[in-house]
Amino acid sequence: MTKPTDALNGTARSQLARLATLTDVVYAVGLVLVIQWLPLPEESHTGGAVWIADLWAEYATNIVAVIIGVVFIILYWIRSNTLMTALDRTDGIHTGLTIASVFFLLLLLYVVRVSEQVAAPSRRAGESLAVALIGVFAGAAWWWARRKNLVREGITAEEKLGVQIEAFAEPMAALVTLPFAFVGEIGWNLAWLAYIPIARILRRRGEREA
């Protein structure tokens, strides 16, 4: 006879699989949105036949935005996959936090898309804030998963520590960069190096707790 707990765990595991599918779909939609940033021939200002190389050179900023967008999608999908594979099941709160994190990825793509049309400090602050929110909700989802024992059995303490560092280090670094967004491009870029000491501090703290 199936125990109620076993049935609930089976449902929670099914929900985790559906959550993973949903996030994969959102990342796929993000790729579709990014590819739509590429310029179309009718947007070219040159006369006569349009060459793709000339079109892309004319809209170089769009191409840069596409590259940045694809890089963000790849990096955050890898991180999402790392967090998902560390879990055995999910619940309503963890699911909601994860979906919120993915939503802010789409917001980050929006900021990248309009970066050439807004003031530079606004673009930098928007990217910092979006990265911070992605990480805050992803980190909160991981914290909740550990608190509610949603983590799969067999995962080592070192693996848990690695996931924890990956979940919390970047949003904390993003918050550090936020005020530097209004200082200048160089200062803002250098502020991202705060990720290195933050990750080390988190590792040492995690090793002491272990």
Side-chain angles (χ1 to χ4, degrees), residues 57-136:
E58 185 179 354
Y59 288 90
T61 54
N62 291 52
I63 306 305
V64 172
V66 168
I67 294 172
I68 294 174
V70 171
V71 169
F72 275 135
I73 290 173
I74 292 172
L75 292 177
Y76 282 111
W77 183 87
I78 292 173
R79 176 171 301 177
S80 174
N81 187 57
T82 300
L83 294 173
M84 289 290 185
T85 54
L87 300 179
D88 176 63
R89 58 194 184 278
T90 187
D91 62 11
I93 293 179
H94 175 266
T95 297
L97 292 170
T98 302
I99 292 174
S101 177
V102 176
F103 167 78
F104 286 113
L105 170 64
L106 297 179
L107 180 63
L108 176 60
L109 294 179
Y110 164 77
V111 174
V112 173
R113 176 68 182 91
V114 302
S115 60
E116 292 299 319
Q117 286 79 47
V118 298
S122 177
R123 184 263 303 170
R124 293 189 292 263
E127 289 186 14
S128 292
L129 186 59
V131 169
L133 289 171
I134 292 169
V136 165

Side-chain angles (χ1 to χ4, degrees), residues 44-55:
S44 176
H45 296 96
T46 60
V50 178
W51 291 74
I52 292 180
D54 294 336
L55 180 63

